[in-house]
Amino acid sequence: MLSLDHPNILTLCGARASPPEYYLLFPYQENGSVSRLVHDQRWAPTWGAALILLQEIAAALAYVHARGIVHRDIKPANVLIGADWVARLADFGLAERVPAGGLTAVCGTHDCLAPEMVRCGHGDVMSYGVEVDLWAAGLLLYALLFGRNPFERETEISTLQAILAGDYLLPAAAPTGAAVGAAARELIAALLVTDPAARPGAAD
């Protein structure tokens, strides 16, 4: 994080050790995480607001992906909002530089895993790359508009099966009753495609 400098990435100001604890220092983000904003009903994202947030996170991803870094834990809890209402990507605890052969470790929240990460864990594919972040961006957009994860099922196994099959539904409207138009649906469908090579890049 010390090597990153982007307006949509939370700046790491420094670190302090106070054994047995280790503290990372960041600028205070007055509005907290997106998940907290929505949970506290302080923000109900419209399509326009959700698109702006997604554009900001995509800009952050394009920046880190160009540097060979994958975040691997994009979710509403890891997107922070300052007093300026700018979205900033945080929590690089699972971030990694992608080696030439790709990554193989399975990590992150189960219902947020990309299909190729699940397949890698089962030995069906050899590795994965930055495309997992675009799948997670699709989940982020879906959660902003519909308030939930589209692949979450009653059990962990059924959740993973739904992810592998790309089995999700697009409701006719948001929980608020607001219509979700064709542009939003097309973007979600483009990001939540099980073939990582078919997803748009962050810069796209």
Side-chain angles (χ1 to χ4, degrees):
M1 287 196 75
L2 286 172
S3 71
L4 304 177
D5 181 15
H6 191 276
N8 299 117
I9 295 175
L10 194 63
T11 302
L12 176 59
C13 301
R16 298 289 184 272
S18 179
E21 305 295 338
Y22 195 75
Y23 298 91
L24 302 180
L25 309 179
F26 300 99
Y28 181 58
Q29 301 300 291
E30 288 83 352
N31 285 304
S33 69
V34 167
S35 59
R36 178 55 61 184
L37 276 171
V38 173
H39 179 270
D40 293 348
Q41 298 184 335
R42 289 186 289 140
W43 187 48
T46 62
W47 162 235
L51 181 60
I52 290 171
L53 184 145
L54 192 71
Q55 287 173 328
E56 292 174 338
I57 295 306
L61 290 178
Y63 175 84
V64 296
H65 290 175
R67 285 153 181 77
I69 298 169
V70 61
H71 186 277
R72 296 198 294 187
D73 201 20
I74 296 163
K75 56 187 179 183
N78 290 340
V79 177
L80 302 185
I81 309 292
D84 54 5
W85 286 92
V86 171
R88 293 178 178 92
L89 188 58
D91 195 348
F92 279 67
L94 297 180
E96 192 73 66
R97 292 191 183 275
V98 182
L103 292 164
T104 58
V106 178
C107 58
T109 309
H110 266 286
D111 55 6
C112 294
L113 296 177
E116 62 269 30
M117 192 182 281
V118 178
R119 292 190 185 100
C120 192
H122 292 164
D124 297 331
V125 298
M126 296 299 293
S127 63
Y128 61 88
V130 299
E131 296 84 5
V132 297
D133 284 345
L134 280 305
W135 174 272
L139 293 178
L140 175 64
L141 179 58
Y142 191 104
L144 288 172
L145 295 175
F146 300 112
R148 60 184 180 85
N149 183 301
F151 298 105
E152 190 173 355
R153 303 292 191 269
E154 290 184 359
T155 68
E156 183 178 300
I157 291 176
S158 57
T159 296
L160 295 179
Q161 288 174 335
I163 290 171
L164 289 172
D167 180 18
Y168 70 96
L169 298 175
L170 279 169
T176 60
V180 177
R185 296 171 182 277
E186 288 170 7
L187 183 52
I188 290 171
L191 293 168
L192 295 183
V193 61
T194 58
D195 178 5
R199 291 175 212 142
D204 300 324

